[in-house]
């Protein structure tokens, strides 16, 4: 069977104080076209449908039109709630929507049951915190004594999937929205993602052992984690300058069969194939660097349509004047201006988007931040206070944002 995998729509997001309604609508139209062109009858959306737990009217209307369009074409849509979504709100009318083939798992509740489509099990696992899993486990009379962090929390849920009698009968696809790492190595992230400090919310990719494909959401760059079949679809839109060089796409996935369907050993090993279909945005998000004069001249040489792109300008002048006004005159959707000149270099400030090394522990990251702000390292007593605070957050299953 074939399905399309996407995630992180972030309906309701704004850039440069502008609504992305038309940009999102343009992407959703492409998503419909991909589903139709590749003759897929199933669409997977791995969380963060909305940009906020309290989505705007514009965002709700976009989502309503989209799922109505999918239902009218008899396309089954499988959705899990993300960390930006309100699980309760996104699942309103879930039983009624299920009658039209729209299956939403906003929260972890009840017994674990797969959605079976064309003889494939789809296990819908919304974004969960340790506290969520402990509450769910108590309702199901499952021992959650080992749930101490995000990794052990999700493993308990996935163990319940694997223990289900249907798991060994069909190919299995897990749809989840978590921060998944590979033996401590973090995926490439962007600064538009809501993150926790250090390794607090890490889930190791080995937790998904036994699943033929894992459709992930949360990280905005399309990428594999550990093995090809554990994949982040990435967001279809660039939502920050740190995503300027992303190649956004939808994943078209083919599940070839069950590992015990009588094929020889070589064929059994290859149960899933996929291809990435590029997304063409209505407006791009670009990173431009140079003096104000260079940037203005470059913009004036562009096609009028390109000047509507969202732009993060890195200005190199030592003493620029009226920067924002001059750049916004040629790039009306100027999203951000930063400086890389003699002054910023002397102060050791970088203007370029940066990636945080999330392979470091919470203590190390906080220690570096503390020293950068105060000019001195943590002393032993301060370090103990930090460790105690992080442990309390971890025990409650909260995020450090």
């Amino acid at each position: 069977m074939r399905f399309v995998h996407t995630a992180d729509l972030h309906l309701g997001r704004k850039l440069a104080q502008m609504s992305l309604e038309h940009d999102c609508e343009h992407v959703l139209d492409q998503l419909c076209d991909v589903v139709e062109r590749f003759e897929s009858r199933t669409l997977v959306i791995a969380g963060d449908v909305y940009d906020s737990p309290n989505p705007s009217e514009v965002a709700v209307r976009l989502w309503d039109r989209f799922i109505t369009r999918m239902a009218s074409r008899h396309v089954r849509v499988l959705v899990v709630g993300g960390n930006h979504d309100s699980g309760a709100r996104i699942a309103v009318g879930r039983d009624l929507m299920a009658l039209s083939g729209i299956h939403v798992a906003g929260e972890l509740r009840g017994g674990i049951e797969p959605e079976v489509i064309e003889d494939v099990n789809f296990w819908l696992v919304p974004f969960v915190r340790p506290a969520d899993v402990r509450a769910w486990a108590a309702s199901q009379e499952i021992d959650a004594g080992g749930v101490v962090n995000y990794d052990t929390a999700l493993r308990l849920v996935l163990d319940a999937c694997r223990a289900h009698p249907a798991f060994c009968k069909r190919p299995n696809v897990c749809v989840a929205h978590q921060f998944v790492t590979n033996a401590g190595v973090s995926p490439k992230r962007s600064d538009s993602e809501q993150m926790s400090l250090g390794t607090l919310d890490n889930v190791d990719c080995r937790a998904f052992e036994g699943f033929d494909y894992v459709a992930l959401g949360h990280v905005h760059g399309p990428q594999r984690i550990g093995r090809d079949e554990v994949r982040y679809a990435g967001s279809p839109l660039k939502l920050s300058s740190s995503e300027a060089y992303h190649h956004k796409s939808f994943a078209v996935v083919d599940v070839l069969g069950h590992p015990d369907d009588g094929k020889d050993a070589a064929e059994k090993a290859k149960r899933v194939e996929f291809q990435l279909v590029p997304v063409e945005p209505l407006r791009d998000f670009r990173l431009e660097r140079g003096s104000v004069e260079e940037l203005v001249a470059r913009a004036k040489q562009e096609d009028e349509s390109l000047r509507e792109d969202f732009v993060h300008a890195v200005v190199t002048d030592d003493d620029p004047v009226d920067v924002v006004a001059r750049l916004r005159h040629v790039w009306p959707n100027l999203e951000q201006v930063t400086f890389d000149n003699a002054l910023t270099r002397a102060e050791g400030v970088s203007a370029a988007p940066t990636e945080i090394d999330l392979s470091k522990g919470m203590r190390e990251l906080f220690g570096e931040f503390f020293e950068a702000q105060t000019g001195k390292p943590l002393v032993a007593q301060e370090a103990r206070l930090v460790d105690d605070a992080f442990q309390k957050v971890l025990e409650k299953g909260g995020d450090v944002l």
Side-chain angles (χ1 to χ4, degrees), residues 45 51 158 233 366 370 401:
I45 302 177
D51 191 56
L158 298 178
F366 185 84
F370 182 88
L401 302 178

Side-chain angles (χ1 to χ4, degrees), residues 295-340:
L295 294 172
V296 170
R298 192 181 307 161
K300 288 181 176 179
Q301 293 175 357
E302 293 177 339
D303 292 339
E304 194 67 29
S305 61
L306 295 179
R307 290 169 65 176
E308 294 296 317
D309 288 346
F310 296 101
V311 175
H312 173 182
V314 180
V315 176
T316 57
D317 297 87
D318 286 337
D319 192 20
V321 177
D322 294 332
V323 175
V324 173
R326 293 173 67 188
L327 293 180
R328 187 156 282 155
H329 179 71
V330 292
W331 284 318
N333 296 324
L334 181 70
E335 210 279 331
Q336 186 177 6
V337 175
T338 52
F339 298 91
D340 186 11

Side-chain angles (χ1 to χ4, degrees), residues 96-280:
L96 186 60
M97 287 192 291
L99 298 176
S100 297
I102 312 297
H103 302 277
V104 181
E107 302 172 294
L108 190 63
R109 70 175 199 177
I112 297 290
E113 293 291 336
E115 297 293 342
V116 181
I117 299 175
E118 297 181 35
D119 207 33
V120 174
N121 295 324
F122 285 85
W123 305 88
L124 307 185
V125 182
F127 177 75
V128 291
R129 300 175 176 85
D132 301 326
V133 174
R134 285 193 288 266
W136 166 79
S139 73
Q140 299 300 302
E141 299 183 348
I142 297 173
D143 180 14
V147 173
V148 296
N149 55 28
Y150 279 72
D151 185 85
T152 52
L154 191 63
R155 284 176 187 269
L156 188 67
V157 178
L158 298 178
D159 284 345
C161 297
R162 284 185 284 258
H164 194 287
F167 193 87
C168 62
K169 296 178 180 179
R170 308 179 187 94
N172 294 280
V173 174
C174 181
V175 184
H177 189 96
Q178 300 287 159
F179 180 44
V180 180
T181 60
N182 177 26
V185 178
S186 300
K188 294 179 180 178
R189 299 194 68 163
S190 70
D191 56 22
S192 60
E193 298 153 11
Q194 200 174 75
M195 67 176 71
S196 296
L197 184 62
T199 58
L200 181 64
D201 56 356
N202 288 17
V203 175
D204 191 87
C205 63
R206 289 169 293 186
F208 297 98
E209 184 177 351
F211 290 92
D212 298 285
Y213 185 85
V214 182
L216 293 173
H218 189 37
V219 172
H220 290 181
Q223 58 196 287
R224 69 192 287 274
I225 304 296
R227 57 185 171 101
D228 285 343
E229 296 80 15
V230 181
R231 294 198 63 83
Y232 279 110
S235 60
L237 285 176
K238 296 178 182 180
L239 300 173
S240 72
S241 58
S242 60
E243 300 177 37
Y245 303 113
H246 284 186
H247 299 288
K248 302 297 189 179
S249 61
F250 302 122
V252 178
V253 184
D254 289 299
V255 181
L256 305 179
H258 190 270
D260 297 323
D261 59 6
K263 295 179 180 179
D264 62 35
E267 290 177 313
K268 287 181 183 180
K270 192 175 184 181
R271 301 193 292 271
V272 174
E273 292 180 344
F274 63 90
Q275 55 186 306
L276 303 181
V277 182
V279 176
E280 297 295 333

Side-chain angles (χ1 to χ4, degrees), residues 283-299:
R283 293 175 287 190
D284 201 359
F285 199 135
R286 293 185 280 130
L287 185 66
E288 297 286 349
R289 177 188 177 88
S291 67
V292 174
E293 294 294 339
E294 290 170 340
L295 294 172
V296 170
R298 192 181 307 161

